[in-house]
Amino acid sequence: MASGLTLSDQQVETLAVEGFLWKMTRILTQSDPKAGPVLDTAEGRQTLRQQYERARGYGLEAERDLGRYIVTAWTMGIDFDRRFPAMSQILNDPALSPTDKADAVERTALTLFALLAEGRKDGAA
């Protein structure tokens, strides 16, 4: 008689979240060398987990949508959803689907970065 390991739904969910966060750490580290030393600490992992939970709180569920939120938080600051009124409006809009929210957050961040880069080319600070 073979005995197998049985995992609860909670354990499976925890493993899935940890796998996703590990994947996000790898993605962030590959695109930003400064991410590794930060995310390899207990505090960094906790911050990443908090961003995941925040994204879930806005209704984001799909890995791609969660990932776009986390990348935006890394690039714009962990409180981007509170500091930028447009981001807050997007994320709290009940008429938008989770993917529409992630799309709009990503487009808004890219637009802001493009405007900042354009300003630098023009000599603005």
Side-chain angles (χ1 to χ4, degrees):
M1 178 164 122
S3 66
L5 177 65
T6 303
L7 297 173
S8 70
D9 290 343
Q10 179 64 35
Q11 289 170 316
V12 170
E13 173 68 18
T14 298
L15 288 171
V17 170
E18 290 306 313
F20 172 73
L21 294 176
W22 179 82
K23 189 184 325 183
M24 288 307 305
T25 298
R26 196 176 75 225
I27 288 168
L28 291 169
T29 301
Q30 287 173 349
S31 63
D32 181 359
K34 293 182 232 163
V38 172
L39 297 174
D40 284 339
T41 66
E43 183 180 340
R45 287 188 299 277
Q46 180 61 25
T47 297
L48 191 62
R49 188 171 286 104
Q50 288 169 342
Q51 291 305 312
Y52 171 85
E53 292 299 331
R54 262 176 146 161
R56 293 291 306 228
Y58 289 121
L60 306 182
E61 297 174 0
E63 263 194 21
R64 184 169 188 261
D65 297 341
L66 292 163
R68 291 189 287 171
Y69 180 95
I70 289 170
V71 167
T72 302
W74 180 259
T75 58
M76 295 188 75
I78 60 173
D79 60 346
F80 82 95
D81 57 330
R82 296 178 192 145
R83 276 189 316 145
F84 297 97
M87 295 296 201
S88 181
Q89 286 177 321
I90 291 165
L91 291 164
N92 289 299
D93 188 339
L96 294 176
S97 73
T99 297
D100 288 342
K101 288 179 182 184
D103 288 344
V105 163
E106 183 178 50
R107 279 193 317 272
T108 302
L110 291 173
T111 299
L112 287 171
F113 288 129
L115 290 170
L116 286 171
E118 191 176 293
R120 284 193 190 113
K121 289 178 194 171
D122 292 340

